[in-house]
Amino acid sequence: MKLTLCGHDDRYAVEQLQLALFPEQSGETEEGSAVSTLHRGKIWLTATANITYNGKTATASRRLRADRETVRLRRRALQQSYYLAAIQLLPELPAWGALAGVRPTKITTRHLMEGGTPESAEKLLRDVYYVTPRRRKLAVDCSVSTQQAAEKLSPGDLSLYVGVPFCPTRCAYCSFVSRSVGKRTDLLEPYLQALLLEIRETGRLLAESGCHVRTIYIGGGTPTTFSSSQMAVLMEAIAEHFDLSRCLEYTVEGGRPDTLDPEKLRLIRQHGANRMSINPQSMVDSVLRASGRPHTASDILRAYRQTRDAGFDAVNMDLIAGLPTDTFEGFRHSLDTVAALNPSNITVHTLALKKGADLFEKRVDLPSGQEVARMVAYASERLHTLSYKPYYLYRQKYMSGSFENVGWSRDGMDCLYNIYMMEEVHTILSLGGGGMNKVSLPDGSLQRFHNPKFPEQYIQMISRVLEQKQALFALMKGRN
């Protein structure tokens, strides 16, 4: 859908909402058009949206007193006018109303941190952003968890992410920058050696800074693509170069059961990890095959039992609503099977069709938006019934039905790293290829530093990675 701006240049704010409300009309050449106009009068700023879609046209306006204009309020008026015009053309009210960002809880979390109540936060979502009742409660519940997680922190606390961008094979829905190893393992060892250099240098800088590691997350890709001996070298280096005496949570992502065995799981537990993530995505074998995952549901059950036997009490399991060939009945079976295992966390994702994934171009055998809506609703109702609570959420572009990804937990078992990373509560130091450092600066702002994306680049540019870490810590200390 073509978007034209008149009288303002806040394209991103309006364009992101358009993408959320009309996800199938993401290109300039697709059906429909929209015009977003801002008129500046002496007393009022008037935001107007005019949208043509499916042969029908709708218009709506919102006003803001000119003497109250801020960037935030101006963009809010533009988005409200666009939303109010769009809902005249859509078959049903969008679940997230006029909220377009990937972090809908940002608003409610800030509201609570500034002294608001859950009730007033929900009212804010209702009256200003038109969010539907179920999503209002979901956002507020997650913000309450964020507030509780933030209370565990002290000045100087941060989290550590260690990225291993390798997988045995590539899943059809995956858009992450990762290498499919298959039978080729030649990159693993040089990558590990480069990563050890970054661990050592970051550990030195961290010790000098006086900051403290509160959570660690080894993610990917699939970190357990590393052999048992390589995992041991990696985790021994982390223990040697980082003071983990104040670490609350240490997660290793073992998303693929074909990379796990009792020896590797025991080794990971013995080296300090206290949380594992085992990610079936589906418990229907035909759906797994259609998604490019070469394991079976029985492999997941085996890996889960082995993880428990290795001494892990905290285990997360991921599912995806909207996978190719899946049905509501299939998803219900997957959720019920996973829930019967009673893991500490269940994360329910909604399929996101992203560039770089095979499914982005080959959108075949995908369930309808209505089917995905039933899946998401069932997950919410069932997990609430089983006394799981939502503790963090985020959205992505091109998601089926424009829904969300939600992490559910047993009481006291929230994944703190997920909260700290998504809600940007404190600094996240990222090590490894594709990592993004989110640095909370002394003035309260947030600055991002990216590591090279691809493993080959990371290996070749490791000296520049180390220099960037030095510059990053200089900023954290407020030296420049």
Side-chain angles (χ1 to χ4, degrees):
M1 179 182 291
K2 183 177 180 180
L3 174 64
T4 302
L5 308 183
C6 296
H8 72 92
D9 59 0
D10 290 306
R11 174 170 291 276
Y12 184 81
V14 181
E15 195 169 57
Q16 291 306 297
L17 181 58
Q18 176 172 286
L19 183 61
L21 298 179
F22 300 97
E24 300 301 322
Q25 307 298 322
S26 56
E28 287 289 307
T29 60
E30 300 289 346
E31 178 186 348
S33 63
V35 179
S36 174
T37 303
L38 184 69
H39 174 73
R40 296 178 178 275
K42 292 183 179 180
I43 299 177
W44 298 100
L45 268 67
T46 304
T48 302
N50 186 285
I51 305 173
T52 299
Y53 180 65
N54 281 343
K56 299 180 181 180
T57 298
T59 301
S61 297
R62 295 292 286 179
R63 293 200 306 178
L64 168 69
R65 286 189 63 90
D67 58 1
R68 293 186 57 210
E69 180 184 1
T70 64
V71 171
R72 181 166 63 89
L73 291 178
R74 182 182 70 246
R75 290 175 177 171
R76 179 188 293 178
L78 289 166
Q79 289 182 321
Q80 286 177 330
S81 65
Y82 191 98
Y83 170 84
L84 293 172
I87 60 173
Q88 300 175 49
L89 305 172
L90 294 171
E92 58 186 3
L93 292 177
W96 286 104
L99 287 178
V102 299
R103 294 167 51 215
T105 53
K106 182 177 181 180
I107 293 166
T108 47
T109 297
R110 181 174 62 222
H111 183 82
L112 293 180
M113 295 293 194
E114 293 174 351
T117 65
E119 293 75 19
S120 60
E122 190 166 345
K123 185 175 184 297
L124 174 66
L125 291 182
R126 182 193 68 196
D127 296 346
V128 176
Y129 297 99
Y130 317 114
V131 178
T132 58
R134 178 176 290 179
R135 292 320 189 282
R136 293 200 300 264
K137 187 176 189 316
L138 179 62
V140 172
D141 285 348
C142 290
S143 289
V144 168
S145 291
T146 299
Q147 188 176 36
Q148 294 169 348
E151 292 171 353
K152 299 178 184 291
L153 299 175
S154 300
D157 287 348
L158 51 77
S159 290
L160 185 69
Y161 178 83
V162 181
V164 182
F166 296 94
C167 285
T169 58
R170 191 176 185 85
C171 300
Y173 52 80
C174 180
S175 63
F176 287 113
V177 176
S178 62
R179 283 287 177 265
S180 299
V181 173
K183 295 182 179 180
R184 285 194 58 195
T185 60
D186 52 304
L187 270 180
L188 291 177
E189 190 59 33
Y191 179 86
L192 175 59
Q193 294 305 314
L195 183 57
L196 294 176
L197 293 175
E198 190 180 8
I199 288 172
R200 182 174 63 189
E201 179 64 6
T202 305
R204 181 186 70 80
L205 293 166
L206 189 59
E208 293 177 355
S209 74
C211 295
H212 307 284
V213 175
R214 295 297 267 169
T215 73
I216 301 177
Y217 196 104
I218 303 180
T222 305
T224 46
T225 302
F226 275 153
S227 67
S228 292
S229 60
Q230 289 169 328
M231 284 298 302
V233 169
L234 172 61
M235 297 186 74
E236 286 167 4
I238 291 172
E240 177 183 356
H241 294 290
F242 294 99
D243 178 5
L244 305 184
S245 61
R246 297 182 60 181
C247 185
L248 296 170
E249 176 188 272
Y250 191 156
T251 301
V252 173
E253 190 166 353
R256 290 275 294 268
D258 44 329
T259 66
L260 298 174
D261 57 58
E263 176 194 0
K264 190 179 292 186
L265 288 163
R266 284 195 299 270
L267 181 150
I268 292 170
R269 183 70 183 93
Q270 290 166 2
H271 281 77
N274 57 15
R275 185 175 182 274
M276 283 292 297
S277 187
I278 310 293
N279 303 333
Q281 315 303 8
S282 173
M283 295 299 285
V284 178
D285 287 348
S286 60
V287 176
L288 291 171
R289 287 194 298 272
S291 302
R293 292 177 72 87
H295 62 83
T296 65
S298 62
D299 292 328
I300 287 288
L301 298 176
R302 169 193 54 78
Y304 184 82
R305 289 193 299 269
Q306 292 172 346
T307 301
R308 289 294 200 187
D309 291 343
F312 288 93
D313 295 324
V315 181
N316 170 74
M317 303 188 79
D318 280 11
L319 292 173
I320 300 178
L323 288 173
T325 75
D326 207 0
T327 62
F328 171 74
E329 290 75 17
F331 180 82
R332 180 174 59 188
H333 167 77
S334 296
L335 185 79
D336 289 347
T337 302
V338 165
L341 298 173
N342 194 30
S344 58
N345 303 93
I346 298 176
T347 305
V348 180
H349 297 268
T350 306
L351 179 67
L353 296 173
K354 288 192 167 185
K355 293 180 180 178
D358 291 345
L359 279 180
F360 187 83
E361 297 296 336
K362 304 172 184 177
R363 306 183 190 190
V364 295
D365 297 323
L366 296 177
S368 67
Q370 292 79 8
E371 192 89 339
V372 175
R374 292 181 66 199
M375 297 176 185
V376 172
Y378 178 78
S380 177
E381 293 165 5
R382 183 65 176 151
L383 291 173
H384 269 123
T385 299
L386 295 173
S387 299
Y388 284 90
K389 70 177 183 67
Y391 74 95
Y392 94 112
L393 71 89
Y394 65 101
R395 301 173 68 202
Q396 294 171 280
K397 296 179 182 179
Y398 313 116
M399 293 186 80
S400 296
S402 192
F403 293 117
E404 63 281 321
N405 304 320
V406 183
W408 298 79
S409 71
R410 293 295 189 192
D411 283 343
M413 301 298 286
D414 295 356
C415 177
L416 296 173
Y417 171 82
N418 284 339
I419 295 174
Y420 296 151
M421 179 273 298
M422 188 56 57
E423 295 293 335
E424 299 175 346
V425 173
H426 68 183
T427 291
I428 306 291
L429 290 180
S430 291
L431 285 65
M436 179 170 63
N437 301 271
K438 296 182 178 183
V439 181
S440 296
L441 298 177
D443 64 359
S445 63
L446 188 79
Q447 190 161 336
R448 291 171 170 81
F449 296 80
H450 296 266
N451 280 4
K453 284 186 176 182
F454 298 99
E456 299 91 338
Q457 292 176 334
Y458 175 76
I459 295 168
Q460 295 166 3
M461 301 171 65
I462 188 60
S463 60
R464 289 179 58 183
V465 172
L466 303 186
E467 292 172 1
Q468 179 179 266
K469 279 292 188 296
Q470 294 165 5
L472 180 157
F473 273 90
L475 277 175
M476 286 172 60
K477 293 179 180 179
R479 291 204 295 261
N480 194 6

